[in-house]
């Protein structure tokens, strides 16, 4: 899903990197429990700002925890780390959780990151499109099942199918396709591809939301835990989520401080313009920073699983409650 010097471009030796975070309080270092926290992408990005800043502020240390932030070698490794217990917790996507559960991996979503699905069709500034306008157009996509399923759902809203558009698959980033006029529009999310259109293309791209055209409004990103660890260490899981919730709130209220903390940790992956804009674009997706900030809604999962089976993304699914739990969030 993204961009220059961030999510899609692997930068030098950063493909396999770890960072220990905790800001241990004086005299308490030996008391901290280390949690390995694997991320969703092999290059650091602004989505990680809450736990980077929260660690620096000591929010995790206050809960007796120290985070080891692991940048996975590839996108496929996030669930491998979590499922095999090499990581206790993960920042991942809702689809990764569903696919992993389909392979009997012991992983469960324990909190949401954001309140909805901000994926859709992105076109150049001043050139908004309707779903019907997509007929015959060249669309830059990522070559994964969920991208094609969401696009298929949107097209169905105008009685079109994937055969009615020309899909151009991008190896790592759809935005250059659009900026180079090789496609008419691209698929993506507002705080990744949309952000890059602003920072690399100097334009506020037109956005056609998928959720207004048949796609479920399920949050894209999730925090997930290893099932064996969750059962054995429920108090640590609760402590992790308390610190993370506090970190999201603080980072949303202190964006410049969050960007500075990211730069301090990941200077080699730092594009200040992009990271600043990405975090600015991400903050509104949390909505009101209330008690339900990280709570998963069963209705969201029900709608998503129904859509996945209807459009053949997965052959069969289990009950929604199989994939997520709110048991480790503060009551």
């Amino acid at each position: 899903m993204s961009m220059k010097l961030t999510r899609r471009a692997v930068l030098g030796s950063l493909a396999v990197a770890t960072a220990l975070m905790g800001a241990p309080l004086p005299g308490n270092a030996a008391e901290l429990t280390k949690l390995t926290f694997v991320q969703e992408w092999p290059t650091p990005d602004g989505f990680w700002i809450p736990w980077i800043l929260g660690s620096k502020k000591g929010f995790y240390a206050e809960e007796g925890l120290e985070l080891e932030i692991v940048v996975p070698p590839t996108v496929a490794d996030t669930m491998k780390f979590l499922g095999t217990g090499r990581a206790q917790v993960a920042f991942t996507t809702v689809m990764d959780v569903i696919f992993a559960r389909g392979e009997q991996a012991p992983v469960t979503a324990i909190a949401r990151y954001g309140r909805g699905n901000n994926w859709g069709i992105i076109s150049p500034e001043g050139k908004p499109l309707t779903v019907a306008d997509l007929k015959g157009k060249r669309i830059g996509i990522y070559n994964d099942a969920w991208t094609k399923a969401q696009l298929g759902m949107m097209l169905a809203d105008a009685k079109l199918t994937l055969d009615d558009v020309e899909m151009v698959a991008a190896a790592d980033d759809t935005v250059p396709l659009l900026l180079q006029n090789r496609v008419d529009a691209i698929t993506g999310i507002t705080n990744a591809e949309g952000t890059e259109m602003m920072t690399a293309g100097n334009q506020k791209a037109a956005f056609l939301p998928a959720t207004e055209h048949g796609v479920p409004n399920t949050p894209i990103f999730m925090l997930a835990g290893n099932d064996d660890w969750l059962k054995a260490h429920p108090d640590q899981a609760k402590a992790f989520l308390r610190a993370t919730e506090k970190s999201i709130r603080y980072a949303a209220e202190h964006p410049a401080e969050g960007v500075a903390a990211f730069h301090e940790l990941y200077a080699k992956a730092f594009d200040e313009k992009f990271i600043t804009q990405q975090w600015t674009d991400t903050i509104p997706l949390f909505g009101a920073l209330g008690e339900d900030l990280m709570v998963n809604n069963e209705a969201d999962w029900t709608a998503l699983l129904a859509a996945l089976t209807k459009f053949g993304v997965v052959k069969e699914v289990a009950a929604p409650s199989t994939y997520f739990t709110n048991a480790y969030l503060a009551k």
Side-chain angles (χ1 to χ4, degrees):
M1 292 179 218
S2 153
M3 343 302 72
K4 173 185 178 187
L5 295 185
T6 50
R7 294 174 57 74
R8 290 283 173 178
V10 176
L11 300 175
S13 61
L14 280 173
V16 188
T18 63
L20 285 173
M21 305 289 289
L25 302 175
N28 287 352
E31 301 174 12
L32 297 181
T33 297
K34 185 176 76 173
L35 293 186
T36 301
F37 185 23
V38 64
Q39 305 301 293
E40 92 295 10
W41 207 256
T43 308
D45 63 40
F47 298 149
W48 309 356
I49 281 176
W51 33 95
I52 291 171
L53 180 57
S55 292
K56 183 178 180 180
K57 300 296 293 185
F59 298 158
Y60 291 91
E62 290 169 2
E63 295 286 354
L65 303 175
E66 179 180 29
L67 293 187
E68 178 189 27
I69 297 176
V70 174
V71 185
T74 72
V75 293
D77 288 299
T78 299
M79 286 293 102
K80 291 178 183 177
F81 271 69
L82 189 65
T84 59
R86 283 181 286 171
Q88 291 79 49
V89 286
F91 177 54
T92 187
T93 70
V94 64
M95 288 306 304
D96 282 324
V97 171
I98 291 171
F99 287 141
R101 293 295 300 192
E103 296 295 326
Q104 306 302 310
V107 302
T108 300
I110 57 175
R112 66 182 178 183
Y113 181 96
R115 293 178 179 269
N117 185 347
N118 61 317
W119 183 96
I121 302 297
I122 294 170
S123 54
E125 183 174 17
K127 297 182 179 180
L129 297 170
T130 66
V131 176
D133 291 336
L134 298 179
K135 185 173 183 178
K137 295 291 195 295
R138 295 166 299 162
I139 310 296
I141 68 165
Y142 297 116
N143 198 20
D144 62 275
W146 184 224
T147 291
K148 291 180 180 178
Q150 289 185 103
L151 181 56
M153 292 178 206
M154 290 189 73
L155 291 170
D157 196 47
K159 295 182 170 52
L160 300 175
T161 70
L162 293 178
D163 291 334
D164 290 309
V165 300
E166 179 185 347
M167 292 181 287
V168 180
D172 55 12
D173 188 358
T174 58
V175 172
L177 296 176
L178 189 57
L179 294 180
Q180 296 165 13
N181 296 315
R182 294 165 58 190
V183 296
D184 301 298
I186 59 174
T187 61
I189 58 177
T190 57
N191 56 339
E193 286 76 17
T195 300
E196 189 181 5
M197 288 294 290
M198 175 70 74
T199 58
N202 296 311
Q203 58 180 289
K204 184 175 181 179
F207 182 65
L208 181 63
T211 55
E212 294 181 4
H213 300 280
V215 177
N217 193 26
T218 306
I220 294 172
F221 294 108
M222 294 283 161
L223 294 167
N226 174 277
D227 289 349
D228 295 334
W229 174 77
L230 290 170
K231 292 175 183 176
H233 302 283
D235 291 340
Q236 289 179 18
K238 292 175 182 178
F240 168 73
L241 290 182
R242 281 195 300 269
T244 301
E245 186 167 348
K246 184 175 182 179
S247 297
I248 290 174
R249 288 196 176 95
Y250 188 89
E253 293 167 351
H254 302 84
E257 194 174 343
V259 172
F262 182 96
H263 175 235
E264 184 177 324
L265 188 61
Y266 293 117
K268 292 182 180 179
F270 187 65
D271 177 335
E272 182 175 7
K273 184 177 181 182
F274 178 84
I275 295 298
T276 300
Q277 187 63 50
Q278 185 178 43
W279 187 235
T280 298
D281 293 340
T282 299
I283 291 172
L285 303 179
F286 295 118
L289 302 175
E291 293 182 357
D292 66 340
L293 176 62
M294 300 173 70
V295 176
N296 271 295
N297 293 320
E298 185 167 355
D300 290 341
W301 284 85
T302 299
L304 175 60
L305 293 168
L308 292 177
T309 53
K310 178 180 178 180
F311 283 83
V313 181
V314 294
K315 291 182 178 179
E316 57 182 46
V317 295
S321 58
T322 303
Y323 301 92
F324 78 94
T325 180
N326 290 317
Y328 303 100
L329 289 168
K331 299 293 191 293

